[in-house]
Amino acid sequence: AQSVTQLDSQVPVFEEAPVELRCNYSSSVSVYLFWYVQYPNQGLQLLLKYLSGSTLVESINGFEAEFNKSQTSFHLRKPSVHISDTAEYFCAVSDQGAQKLVFGQGTRLTINP
Amino acid sequence: GAGVSQSPSNKVTEKGKDVELRCDPISGHTALYWYRQRLGQGLEFLIYFQGNSAPDKSGLPSDRFSAERTGESVSTLTIQRTQQEDSAVYLCASSQIAGGYNEQFFGPGTRLTVL
């Protein structure tokens, strides 16, 4: 069965520093990959997704993630973070043909001024 | 509606009591999902509906858990004889159709505390 690992439960960084949130999944079958974000006191919302095509996908607020099939990874990066990026980030995977998402445990990103 | 709504937002109950959690999906979304998020953990899939049928109930942790959906709209998740380990945030999501490639839109969740 598919599983998702987010190695870092918490990542503190300074404002304007770069950040990488790591995500690895277990199954090498064809997959769809997602990052969801949960801002304080808000519901989960989709940040970006990989379905097919270019392995590098971007969000509207400067995050990007790269699908690496050989390493079964989908790490999330941002070159310069802002205070408003403080949130919990969840990586999720769906096997092609499956209906449900399998989520990682989440990474809490804390931005220090 | 504008988004997925869930009620109640918070529920405190005593061990052994039954609870019902409600989810109103986005209008027109045929697929509806229930997840559970225990403290410090990721989301666990419970069940999904396509229309009013539930093709995958594999995530329901025990026979104390059940869910139904009527009119391709509202869904209720029922937990009978609640136990302390049932304490969690229960999240509902909907998507236009079922399929792992479809974006799921999440509600704010119901925080359940079993004393």
Side-chain angles (χ1 to χ4, degrees):
Chain A
Q2 183 68 263
S3 67
V4 179
T5 302
Q6 291 181 247
L7 287 171
D8 306 302
S9 59
Q10 295 189 59
V11 173
V13 295
F14 287 106
E15 194 171 16
E16 298 183 4
V19 70
E20 179 179 77
L21 308 183
R22 295 177 291 171
C23 173
N24 288 86
Y25 59 96
S26 62
S27 172
S28 61
V29 298
S30 297
V31 294
Y32 303 120
L33 298 157
F34 305 82
W35 277 97
Y36 279 81
V37 59
Q38 187 171 28
Y39 296 106
N41 301 314
Q42 295 187 30
L44 277 160
Q45 53 189 279
L46 182 67
L47 183 63
L48 47 74
K49 63 184 177 184
Y50 168 79
L51 301 182
S52 65
S54 172
T55 57
L56 185 66
V57 291
E58 298 178 352
S59 72
I60 59 173
N61 58 351
F63 281 93
E64 64 180 28
E66 186 161 20
F67 168 51
N68 188 318
K69 187 174 183 178
S70 63
Q71 296 186 6
T72 59
S73 68
F74 191 54
H75 301 329
L76 181 70
R77 293 187 289 263
K78 189 171 185 180
S80 176
V81 295
H82 189 267
I83 290 283
S84 60
D85 294 323
T86 296
E88 188 147 19
Y89 293 80
F90 293 90
C91 180
V93 178
S94 175
D95 292 339
Q96 287 188 19
Q99 310 302 326
K100 64 187 182 187
L101 290 173
V102 178
F103 282 84
Q105 294 185 325
T107 298
R108 187 171 299 277
L109 178 62
T110 305
I111 314 297
N112 299 308
Chain B
V4 178
S5 61
Q6 293 185 245
S7 60
S9 56
N10 280 284
K11 177 70 177 178
V12 180
T13 190
E14 292 179 349
K15 178 182 172 181
K17 295 285 180 69
D18 298 351
V19 295
E20 272 193 4
L21 312 180
R22 176 187 169 107
C23 172
D24 280 89
I26 293 172
S27 178
H29 280 192
T30 63
L32 185 148
Y33 306 79
W34 283 99
Y35 295 88
R36 177 171 73 174
Q37 185 178 19
R38 288 171 162 164
L39 187 65
Q41 299 186 24
L43 281 72
E44 301 171 68
F45 168 80
L46 298 179
I47 184 173
Y48 96 92
F49 290 88
Q50 176 58 49
N52 293 338
S53 65
D56 189 350
K57 308 178 183 180
S58 62
L60 294 178
S62 76
D63 59 7
R64 295 186 295 105
F65 287 72
S66 63
E68 65 175 19
R69 187 180 186 195
T70 55
E72 292 198 354
S73 182
V74 172
S75 176
T76 54
L77 177 69
T78 301
I79 308 173
Q80 296 179 309
R81 305 180 304 281
T82 51
Q83 303 295 313
Q84 289 183 333
E85 63 262 28
D86 300 334
S87 296
V89 177
Y90 290 82
L91 291 163
C92 174
S94 70
S95 64
Q96 286 189 321
I97 57 173
Y101 52 88
N102 286 301
E103 179 180 355
Q104 294 184 20
F105 294 82
F106 283 81
T110 294
R111 183 176 298 277
L112 175 66
T113 303
V114 182
L115 302 176

